[in-house]
Amino acid sequence: MDEAIIRRLRWRARRGTRELDALFGGWLDERFATADEATRKAFDELLDVQDPDLWDWVMGHGKPGRDDFARIIDEIRARHRL
């Protein structure tokens, strides 16, 4: 795994709240290395989404319009029993 990519994603996974930092940073730490290339790309693109939308999705108040985003959000929610 390219450390420069991980560092860039770690920086991008830092969000406006500690809760989102922990949720997305945790997925990066635990799942990114074993994810397939399409899922890795989707995670990178997911980090472009605004924090209020990410928060709504992880809290179950909405669903992303993209299936690949939804799979990542579902993994995060399952890991944290949300």
Side-chain angles (χ1 to χ4, degrees):
M1 183 61 44
D2 185 349
E3 274 304 310
I5 292 171
I6 297 297
R7 281 194 306 274
R8 180 181 63 80
L9 289 172
R10 179 149 330 281
W11 179 255
R12 294 187 66 226
R14 293 185 59 198
R15 310 307 296 191
T17 65
R18 282 183 284 182
E19 293 85 356
L20 286 177
D21 291 355
L23 294 171
F24 288 90
W27 191 92
L28 178 62
D29 291 339
E30 294 177 11
R31 273 288 286 125
F32 190 81
T34 59
D36 61 38
E37 190 58 37
T39 302
R40 290 178 183 176
K41 185 176 184 324
F43 181 73
D44 190 7
E45 293 170 0
L46 180 61
L47 295 177
D48 290 332
V49 174
Q50 296 295 311
D51 288 357
D53 292 330
L54 293 175
W55 184 254
D56 283 348
W57 296 344
V58 296
M59 290 295 108
H61 300 299
K63 287 239 176 231
R66 288 178 49 173
D67 290 341
D68 52 357
F69 285 6
R71 281 190 295 277
I72 294 169
I73 295 295
D74 288 346
E75 287 179 11
I76 290 170
R77 288 178 47 78
R79 177 180 175 264
H80 294 277
R81 298 184 179 124
L82 298 173

